[in-house]
Amino acid sequence: MANMLTSELEGLLYGRELDSPVVKVVRALSGHGAVSTSQIARNTGLARSTVSTILADLKRSNLVVEMETRNPGPGRPAVAHSLNPEAGTCVGALLDVDEIRVIVADVAHNVVADLAMPVEREYSPTKAARVVKHAVDTLYKEHSLAYGSLIGIGFALSAPLAPDGRIMRSSALHGWQGIDFREAFQPVLEKPIFADSESNCAALAEMMWGAATGSSDFVLLKLNPTVSGAVVIDGKPLVGASGSAGEMGHIVIDPHGPLCRCGNRGCLELYCGAGFVSRMATDWLGRSMPVSEIVSRAIQGETGFRRLLADAGEAAGRGLSMAGAMINPPLFIISGVLASAGELLLAPLRASYEKHSFVKHEDVDEAHYPVFKAGKFLDNDNCLGAAGLVLRHSSRLK
Amino acid sequence: MANMLTSELEGLLYGRELDSPVVKVVRALSGHGAVSTSQIARNTGLARSTVSTILADLKRSNLVVEMETRNPGPGRPAVAHSLNPEAGTCVGALLDVDEIRVIVADVAHNVVADLAMPVEREYSPTKAARVVKHAVDTLYKEHSLAYGSLIGIGFALSAPLAPDGRIMRSSALHGWQGIDFREAFQPVLEKPIFADSESNCAALAEMMWGAATGSSDFVLLKLNPTVSGAVVIDGKPLVGASGSAGEMGHIVIDPHGPLCRCGNRGCLELYCGAGFVSRMATDWLGRSMPVSEIVSRAIQGETGFRRLLADAGEAAGRGLSMAGAMINPPLFIISGVLASAGELLLAPLRASYEKHSFVKHEDVDEAHYPVFKAGKFLDNDNCLGAAGLVLRHSSRLK
DNA sequence: GATCATTTTGTCATTTACGACATAATTGTC
DNA sequence: GACAATTATGTCGTAAATGACAAAATGATC
């Protein structure tokens, strides 16, 4: 049964244009939880009648189920639709420096299973493919899921992926340069695969279910030990000529600054990454302290730690002011560990952005001035987004 | 006769969706000179049959004419199509600080007439509309063109224009903040009007007829007394929340640097604008010298002037490395007065970009590394692009 | 010089998305 | 409780874009 549904779903999703009406509708459904026909029509720009017939097809195939909802205002109450969780499962896999993490989600994007595996550094693509395959097999067996229900696997890569599907050099995935991702992973996994950079996946997660819901243009900045980011234009994360769009952590803000792991001097990462905060804390305390503890101490009111976060926010704001000048997005999402500090980070960040920006707050009315928000996901944004690639099936491995 | 054609053209162009097949075809035709049916199909992504029928319509209305061409390889020779220059005229108008410039071009984008008028600073929108109207009337009379053949007027603004059509504060067009561009200009001109920022128009010109022909993703940097720029993604120049996307001249590269006219410190403009070059030359010579002369002296081999241009290139490269990190475009176009120095500017610029970039040349193969080119238009790029808005009719005043 | 491969072009039946209409289900008001 | 107002939904004819087919016009090959 589930198998039949899955093959139908595959037929409906793949083999189609990347922006065909069907895909748009599924995309809209995969975003918000329960949506009515007319809402989908408004969101996608399609005609109501088109959405209506498509939904009828999807319901006939049991891929979409109805849910009853209340309407606040007058008028006929809307029928809420959502993807049938039983229709299939997706996998999201993160390939990080020293860790491979796999999550299983149903079509409605509820996380069903989660498995993080440490791996020795400098692992090979072949190794990675085998590890993922094994993890998926294990998880499906453990949770008694049918492997046939798996409709696709999305990958979040800690390396740039060029538009042609080739992996570019990165410090995280060593020796992968020049490898064709599809060729390396497709044979082992025997399912449709999708991939994007780790930070683009994170942006996708925030756009579909997080702080950027409903926004199609925003810039994401992730403040972890490494600082990365993504630029989303018109609902699509920018890829770039070599797949490295959004790498804001390595904007050089001081050519005479300290040396960065990337080989340049004075990269933004050195001034607003989690590494900066923990290094400063160590200097101050004489001992090391986990970043999460630094943040919670700051929240509890310890001024020293607050100042550290403010300094990081100041630098981040300066970095984002550059994005503001070039891209001028209506929304900035700040995520990563440091973002859990909330306003302690955001307030100085906003002030610094304003200070270093060309467009001042008074130059424009409120509606035209960018909004700064903390991200919703702190831990598994990239895995979640990778799973999201499958249903959204926006990625570059056809 | 011309009038009949024009009204037909208007009917075909306006009243349609902004990306309807007809508009796409006209757009393709307005770009390259002579294109075959199948080439248009490939460029636009439309089916050959669609293009075929549309072209038939356009030919019947005399808006498109055939030209014979040779084919190099085997196969049936292609029939080249191009817009009929007699079908109508477009106007491009630049509203600058102390100058209003108007050009008239035919539908094939040959410039028919050109008129630059100095105006006193801080002129009002009403004044501007009247001046443009008067200039257009004069030019059409002088060149014995029928006013009825005018199908639309495009404006290049020296101010940000928000997506909703409202003008934001700028140092060039004083007191225009909050004005609805359409409301202010439409009544006076009685023709379809279009508008975009000056630098976005310049980018459009480079994309349609200049150094970025065929590219749909690139970053433009204009090195004039003011330094501006544009970011083109997917064939569309970014607008931004308040219309100030691409304002790269005011990225702060040194928070403790000298004060900039915009009120910040250490903006990029101060290190790579034409103002920087002329200021340094004045210091050195003890007298002022026009930038154009500085450039030609440098070309003739005078090392002092060469060094000045190299310094500007160095700074520009550093600025562009930030665009590289965020956007990672495959192409950078450098235009403005300084770009006439050619490799004297570009060589140090490339070196500096490479030095300050995260993605090094050796990290990727040639195909994934960005190309740096000088722009094709030095003087009237913005006017030309403004006229281009009309046929492309991509702009935000519906 | 005939044949093949190649590329372009136009036509036509099929598919597809849309706009218009009619209908359904609720809230608020008199 | 009836009626207007409002909003959502489904159906159907129409317009439009497409894919498949057939034909045309060349260069290359034997």
Side-chain angles (χ1 to χ4, degrees):
Chain A
M1 175 63 179
N3 265 343
M4 194 207 63
L5 287 178
T6 305
S7 65
E8 263 186 81
L9 182 52
E10 279 186 39
L12 274 163
L13 286 179
Y14 310 118
R16 308 216 174 229
E17 284 298 309
L18 265 79
D19 53 351
S20 73
V22 187
V23 174
K24 279 186 184 168
V25 170
V26 173
R27 208 173 279 181
L29 283 166
S30 69
H32 321 284
V35 218
S36 76
T37 313
S38 346
Q39 271 170 358
I40 296 177
R42 279 191 296 265
N43 290 341
T44 57
L46 297 166
R48 282 186 295 275
S49 50
T50 311
V51 178
S52 181
T53 37
I54 289 175
L55 277 180
D57 285 355
L58 292 172
K59 272 187 276 188
R60 199 172 322 111
S61 317
N62 249 318
L63 308 174
V64 162
V65 287
E66 292 188 2
M67 308 167 60
E68 73 285 359
T69 5
R70 284 298 77 196
N71 244 25
R76 172 172 173 172
V79 182
H81 298 269
S82 67
L83 290 173
N84 183 359
E86 319 236 318
T89 51
C90 312
V91 162
L94 169 68
L95 307 185
D96 208 349
V97 208
D98 51 6
E99 181 191 73
I100 290 182
R101 183 169 176 185
V102 172
I103 68 166
V104 181
D106 63 29
V107 166
H109 290 289
N110 307 303
V111 176
V112 180
D114 191 332
L115 179 60
M117 290 153 297
V119 285
E120 87 256 5
R121 282 164 177 272
E122 315 214 351
Y123 56 91
S124 72
T126 338
K127 169 88 192 255
R130 277 203 309 269
V131 170
V132 171
K133 168 72 172 156
H134 183 255
V136 170
D137 287 344
T138 311
L139 286 174
Y140 274 68
K141 188 173 288 174
E142 270 179 16
H143 293 79
S144 25
L145 298 161
Y147 190 72
S149 75
L150 172 55
I151 53 176
I153 304 177
F155 286 87
L157 305 181
S158 295
L161 183 67
D164 59 6
R166 305 248 304 283
I167 298 171
M168 300 288 115
R169 179 143 95 177
S170 85
S171 52
L173 303 180
H174 241 269
W176 291 39
Q177 183 175 12
I179 286 168
D180 182 298
F181 186 82
R182 183 184 179 71
E183 279 178 17
F185 283 79
Q186 184 68 273
V188 182
L189 294 161
E190 302 161 333
K191 289 280 179 182
I193 60 174
F194 305 88
D196 209 330
S197 73
E198 176 273 326
S199 49
N200 277 359
C201 288
L204 193 61
E206 292 291 354
M207 179 166 57
M208 291 177 84
W209 312 289
T213 308
S215 299
S216 54
D217 298 270
F218 64 97
V219 166
L220 172 87
L221 184 68
K222 266 187 91 167
L223 304 176
N224 277 333
T226 73
V227 170
S228 60
V231 178
V232 178
I233 304 288
D234 221 18
K236 291 186 290 277
L238 285 193
V239 175
S242 58
S244 61
E247 282 297 346
M248 283 172 291
H250 298 279
I251 289 176
V252 175
I253 62 171
D254 180 4
H256 307 295
L259 210 58
C260 175
R261 63 186 174 90
C262 77
N264 279 331
R265 285 192 178 278
C267 293
L268 185 61
E269 179 171 296
L270 300 171
Y271 303 92
C272 68
F276 163 81
V277 172
S278 83
R279 213 177 320 116
M280 297 306 266
T282 308
D283 283 0
W284 185 44
L285 299 168
R287 63 177 181 92
S288 82
M289 180 184 275
V291 180
S292 54
E293 192 182 337
I294 297 175
V295 171
S296 53
R297 294 271 200 113
I299 292 174
Q300 281 155 31
E302 292 193 37
T303 49
F305 296 121
R306 290 198 166 193
R307 175 58 192 261
L308 282 183
L309 290 170
D311 288 348
E314 213 275 335
R318 200 177 137 204
L320 289 186
S321 76
M322 298 171 179
M326 276 188 249
I327 299 165
N328 188 18
L331 174 67
F332 288 99
I333 302 285
I334 321 296
S335 91
V337 230
L338 296 193
S340 50
E343 281 301 313
L344 293 181
L345 180 84
L346 286 180
L349 190 153
R350 279 195 204 92
S352 164
Y353 177 90
E354 167 73 7
K355 179 180 172 190
H356 295 101
S357 277
F358 177 53
V359 180
K360 302 294 183 192
H361 208 143
E362 68 200 54
D363 294 343
V364 298
D365 35 340
E366 205 55 41
H368 294 115
Y369 194 80
V371 173
F372 297 82
K373 278 193 209 171
K376 183 173 175 185
F377 307 109
L378 293 173
D379 175 37
N380 62 348
D381 52 358
N382 33 35
C383 264
L384 219 57
L389 283 177
V390 176
L391 271 197
R392 210 177 164 77
H393 85 306
S394 65
S395 88
R396 13 195 167 53
L397 312 169
K398 234 259 290 284
Chain B
M1 174 62 178
N3 265 343
M4 193 206 67
L5 288 177
T6 305
S7 66
E8 262 186 82
L9 183 51
E10 277 185 41
L12 275 162
L13 287 179
Y14 310 117
R16 309 216 173 228
E17 284 298 309
L18 266 80
D19 53 350
S20 73
V22 186
V23 175
K24 280 186 185 170
V25 170
V26 173
R27 205 172 281 180
L29 282 166
S30 69
H32 321 284
V35 218
S36 77
T37 313
S38 346
Q39 271 171 357
I40 295 176
R42 278 193 296 267
N43 291 342
T44 57
L46 296 167
R48 282 187 294 276
S49 51
T50 312
V51 179
S52 182
T53 37
I54 289 175
L55 278 180
D57 285 356
L58 293 171
K59 271 186 277 187
R60 200 173 320 112
S61 318
N62 249 318
L63 308 174
V64 162
V65 286
E66 292 188 2
M67 308 167 61
E68 74 285 358
T69 5
R70 282 300 75 196
N71 243 25
R76 175 172 172 171
V79 182
H81 299 268
S82 69
L83 291 173
N84 183 0
E86 321 236 319
T89 51
C90 311
V91 162
L94 168 68
L95 307 184
D96 208 350
V97 210
D98 51 4
E99 181 192 74
I100 290 182
R101 183 171 176 183
V102 171
I103 67 166
V104 181
D106 63 30
V107 167
H109 289 287
N110 307 303
V111 176
V112 179
D114 190 334
L115 178 60
M117 290 153 297
V119 285
E120 87 258 5
R121 283 164 177 270
E122 313 215 352
Y123 57 91
S124 72
T126 337
K127 167 89 192 252
R130 276 203 310 268
V131 169
V132 171
K133 169 72 172 156
H134 183 255
V136 171
D137 286 344
T138 311
L139 286 174
Y140 273 68
K141 188 173 289 175
E142 269 180 17
H143 294 79
S144 25
L145 298 161
Y147 190 72
S149 75
L150 173 54
I151 53 177
I153 304 178
F155 286 87
L157 305 181
S158 295
L161 182 67
D164 60 5
R166 305 248 304 284
I167 298 171
M168 299 289 115
R169 179 143 96 175
S170 84
S171 52
L173 304 181
H174 241 268
W176 289 39
Q177 184 174 11
I179 287 169
D180 183 297
F181 186 81
R182 183 183 179 71
E183 279 178 16
F185 284 78
Q186 184 68 272
V188 181
L189 294 160
E190 302 161 331
K191 289 282 179 179
I193 60 173
F194 305 88
D196 208 332
S197 72
E198 176 272 327
S199 49
N200 277 358
C201 288
L204 193 62
E206 292 290 354
M207 179 166 56
M208 291 175 84
W209 312 290
T213 308
S215 298
S216 55
D217 298 88
F218 64 96
V219 167
L220 172 87
L221 185 68
K222 265 186 94 166
L223 304 176
N224 277 333
T226 74
V227 170
S228 61
V231 177
V232 178
I233 303 288
D234 221 16
K236 291 186 290 277
L238 285 193
V239 175
S242 57
S244 61
E247 281 298 344
M248 282 171 290
H250 299 278
I251 289 177
V252 175
I253 62 172
D254 180 3
H256 306 295
L259 210 59
C260 176
R261 63 185 174 91
C262 78
N264 280 330
R265 287 192 176 277
C267 293
L268 185 61
E269 179 171 296
L270 300 171
Y271 303 92
C272 68
F276 164 81
V277 172
S278 83
R279 214 177 317 115
M280 296 307 265
T282 308
D283 283 0
W284 185 44
L285 300 168
R287 64 177 181 92
S288 82
M289 180 184 275
V291 180
S292 54
E293 191 181 337
I294 297 176
V295 171
S296 53
R297 293 271 200 114
I299 293 175
Q300 282 154 32
E302 292 193 37
T303 48
F305 296 121
R306 290 198 165 191
R307 176 56 192 260
L308 282 183
L309 289 170
D311 287 349
E314 213 275 336
R318 201 178 135 203
L320 289 186
S321 76
M322 299 171 178
M326 276 187 248
I327 299 165
N328 187 18
L331 174 66
F332 288 100
I333 302 284
I334 321 297
S335 91
V337 230
L338 296 193
S340 50
E343 282 301 312
L344 292 182
L345 180 86
L346 286 180
L349 189 153
R350 279 195 203 93
S352 165
Y353 177 89
E354 167 73 7
K355 179 180 172 189
H356 294 103
S357 277
F358 178 53
V359 180
K360 302 294 183 191
H361 208 143
E362 68 199 55
D363 293 343
V364 298
D365 35 339
E366 204 56 39
H368 294 115
Y369 194 79
V371 173
F372 296 82
K373 278 192 209 173
K376 184 172 173 186
F377 308 109
L378 293 174
D379 175 38
N380 62 347
D381 53 358
N382 34 33
C383 265
L384 219 55
L389 283 177
V390 176
L391 272 196
R392 210 179 164 78
H393 85 308
S394 64
S395 89
R396 11 195 170 54
L397 311 169
K398 234 258 289 284

